[in-house]
Amino acid sequence: MPATDSVMFSIALIQNPVAQFASARGLTFMRPLWASWFSSIKDLLDFHYLDYDTASSLATNYSAQLAIDAYKSGSDDYVDIVALTARQVMGATVFSGTPDDPILFLKEISSNGNFQTIDVIFPSFPFFLYTNPRWLAYLLEPLIEHMLSGQYPNKYAMHDLGYHFPNATGHADGRDEYMPVEECGNILIMGLALVNSLIYDTSAAAGSVWSHLGSQSFDPNPATSAFSLKNLETRDGVFGLDDSWGGSTKGLKQARKWVTKSYRLWKQWTSYLIEFSLRPHFQLSTDDFAGPLQLQTNLALKGILGIKAMSQISETIENEEDTKYYKNISETYISKWTEYGISRDGSHAKLAYHWYGSWTTLYNLYADTLLCFHLEGTSSATSSPLQNSNNNQTAQRVLRSRFNP
C-alpha cells in the first residue's frame, strides 16, 4: 500500500437518552442535542465522516491558538498541561436539550461520579470562558432550572444535581454534600464572569478570541433562552457555527435577559452568604478530602467575593439599591476578614480564624483577580503569604498546614 494512502476509523459512543433530569416539568429523559438535527444515528455518522476534514481543521486551529496562549502564560510544560486539561474537561461533558434551550451535562470524573457538581464546574470554568463562554451558560442552566422550580429545599446553592451520572434526579430531601458557602460563592462568581464575558466593545476586548465571530442578532422575547442555537450560521463555507457571543450590539441585552430570568435565585444565594460567610460554621470546602472545619479563612474569602459579585450582577440590570447594598456589605466583610484571617504579624493567612500558627494558600484570590475586584485587604494584607508561596519550595507543594508533616 502506498505511503500516501490512509484509512479513518471512528469509535462512537451513542447515548440516548443522555440522562434523566429533574427539570422544571418533572423527571425527563433527555435526548442528545444532535438528535435535533439528525433523525437517525446513520444520518449522524454520515455527517461525521463527510464533515471530518472541516472538523479536523477547526480543531487544529483551536489547538494551535491554545498552545500560543498557554506558552505566553508559562512554558512548554504548561502548554502540554493545558492541552491535556482541555481534552479532559470536554471528555467529561455531553450536550443535551434542544436548539431553543441547550444544556451541557457534566460528570464528575476521577471521583465518585456526581452529576453537575458546582465545585467541579468551578475549576473548569476558565476553560469555558476561554473556549466558548456559552458552554458555561449551558452548564449552569440545569442547576438554575432545577433550583428555580423549587425542587431543592435549601436556601443555599446545591452541591450537585444527582449522586451519580446519568441520574440528575436532584436532592428533594436537601441532603446533598454539605458545602453551602462554597457552592453559593462559586455560582455567583461564575455568574458574574459569564455576564462580563458578554460585555465588550471590540473584538480585541473579548475574553475569547472566537466570541465576536458571527451575527449580532438578538431575540428580546423573555420566554426564550438568551443563548439559543436556533440560528446556526454558515461562514467560510462551514455550516453549523454559533452566532457571536455578546458584543457591543447585543451583549448587555443578553446579560440582562439571562440575569432577570433567575434574579431571585441570585439574591437568595447572596442572602445566605451575608448571613453565614463571614464566619463559616463547621462545613466542607471544595477541599473535601480534608474534612469539615469551621471558620476557614479561604472559604470565607470565597463567600465575600460572591457577595461582591452579586453587587455587579445587580448593576447589570440597573438595580441600584441592590448594587449599593451588596457592595457595602462585601467591603465591610473584607475588612473584618483581614482582621480575622491574617496572622498577627501580617506575614500569612491562617487556615482558620481560631487556628493560630496555621497557614493556608489563598487560591480563592483567583476570582478577585479575574473579576478585577481588588478588594481592599486582599492585596496588601496577603502580599507576604503569596510571596512566601513563590519563594518557599515546601509551600509550593503543600496546600495548607493541616497536611504539613
Side-chain angles (χ1 to χ4, degrees):
M1 179 180 296
T4 55
D5 288 350
S6 64
V7 61
M8 179 174 68
F9 295 93
S10 295
I11 299 175
L13 171 64
I14 303 298
Q15 207 171 323
N16 191 3
V18 167
Q20 56 175 341
F21 168 43
S23 67
R25 61 181 178 273
L27 193 61
T28 305
F29 288 96
M30 301 295 295
R31 296 199 312 161
L33 185 58
W34 60 260
S36 298
W37 290 283
F38 303 101
S39 59
S40 69
I41 294 174
K42 181 182 181 301
D43 289 343
L44 171 67
L45 293 178
D46 286 346
F47 179 83
H48 160 72
Y49 281 108
L50 294 173
D51 186 60
Y52 173 78
D53 289 340
T54 298
S56 178
S57 176
L58 292 172
T60 298
N61 291 340
Y62 169 80
S63 293
Q65 185 64 52
L66 183 67
I68 291 169
D69 294 333
Y71 188 76
K72 290 177 182 177
S73 301
S75 62
D76 287 331
D77 288 343
Y78 188 65
V79 171
D80 294 338
I81 291 171
V82 170
L84 289 169
T85 301
R87 285 154 177 80
Q88 184 181 31
V89 171
M90 285 308 298
T93 61
V94 58
F95 284 92
S96 186
T98 65
D100 288 324
D101 189 15
I103 282 176
L104 188 58
F105 287 130
L106 180 141
K107 175 185 178 182
E108 187 172 332
I109 58 177
S110 303
S111 183
N112 60 359
N114 278 177
F115 198 138
Q116 217 74 4
T117 309
I118 292 180
D119 66 296
V120 173
I121 297 173
F122 187 78
S124 70
F125 93 92
F127 161 80
F128 293 105
L129 288 180
Y130 173 85
T131 303
N132 192 340
R134 76 178 66 230
W135 294 348
L136 176 60
Y138 299 163
L139 278 169
L140 298 181
E141 181 56 33
L143 290 157
I144 292 171
E145 178 182 337
H146 180 82
M147 286 186 273
L148 202 58
S149 71
Q151 297 180 70
Y152 184 65
N154 297 318
K155 296 300 183 182
Y156 49 81
M158 65 196 313
H159 173 265
D160 59 77
L161 266 177
Y163 284 120
H164 206 282
F165 187 92
N167 298 309
T169 48
H171 299 279
D173 58 1
R175 299 181 66 181
D176 50 325
E177 192 165 5
Y178 188 60
M179 294 187 188
V181 172
E182 176 73 39
E183 307 304 17
C184 287
N186 285 337
I187 201 163
L188 283 159
I189 289 166
M190 289 190 287
L192 178 59
L194 184 67
V195 166
N196 288 349
S197 73
L198 287 161
I199 303 170
Y200 58 91
D201 294 327
T202 65
S203 59
S208 170
V209 297
W210 300 279
S211 287
H212 70 285
L213 300 174
S215 73
Q216 283 280 318
S217 60
F218 171 71
D219 179 5
N221 184 350
T224 61
S225 169
F227 315 121
S228 76
L229 292 173
K230 292 187 300 182
N231 300 312
L232 295 181
E233 301 178 358
T234 298
R235 296 194 301 273
D236 299 325
V238 179
F239 165 73
L241 299 176
D242 301 337
D243 62 352
S244 64
W245 174 260
S248 58
T249 302
K250 68 175 181 179
L252 185 56
K253 297 175 185 177
Q254 282 184 301
R256 286 174 175 167
K257 181 177 180 178
W258 184 69
V259 169
T260 300
K261 187 176 180 179
S262 52
Y263 189 66
R264 70 172 177 85
L265 263 187
W266 302 101
K267 290 192 67 171
Q268 176 182 305
W269 297 327
T270 310
S271 294
Y272 185 88
L273 291 179
I274 290 172
E275 186 171 359
F276 295 109
S277 69
L278 180 58
R279 298 180 62 86
H281 53 247
F282 192 70
Q283 62 190 278
L284 294 168
S285 72
T286 194
D287 304 326
D288 53 357
F289 52 81
L293 180 66
Q294 64 180 348
L295 302 176
Q296 295 180 61
T297 301
N298 197 36
L299 181 61
L301 176 61
K302 177 167 282 182
I304 296 167
L305 292 171
I307 299 169
K308 174 63 176 178
M310 185 59 191
S311 73
Q312 294 192 9
I313 291 172
S314 301
E315 188 176 15
T316 302
I317 62 169
E318 298 182 314
N319 189 322
E320 295 181 5
E321 182 178 353
D322 282 356
T323 299
K324 182 178 180 181
Y325 175 65
Y326 297 128
K327 181 176 183 290
N328 287 343
I329 289 177
S330 66
E331 291 174 351
T332 300
Y333 278 16
I334 201 66
S335 177
K336 288 289 186 182
W337 173 85
T338 303
E339 176 186 338
Y340 296 153
I342 305 302
S343 64
R344 290 172 178 173
D345 63 1
S347 65
H348 63 278
K350 294 177 288 185
L351 172 60
Y353 296 164
H354 61 299
W355 200 332
Y356 296 96
S358 67
W359 58 266
T360 189
T361 301
L362 294 175
Y363 55 78
N364 283 327
L365 282 173
Y366 169 75
D368 182 70
T369 301
L370 175 71
L371 300 174
C372 299
F373 287 163
H374 309 303
L375 284 170
E376 186 69 29
T378 59
S379 56
S380 59
T382 59
S383 59
S384 293
L386 295 182
Q387 289 170 359
N388 289 343
S389 295
N390 289 332
N391 296 327
N392 186 309
Q393 292 300 310
T394 301
Q396 288 180 344
R397 291 194 302 269
V398 183
L399 180 62
R400 55 196 199 180
S401 60
R402 203 175 186 183
F403 299 98
N404 200 356

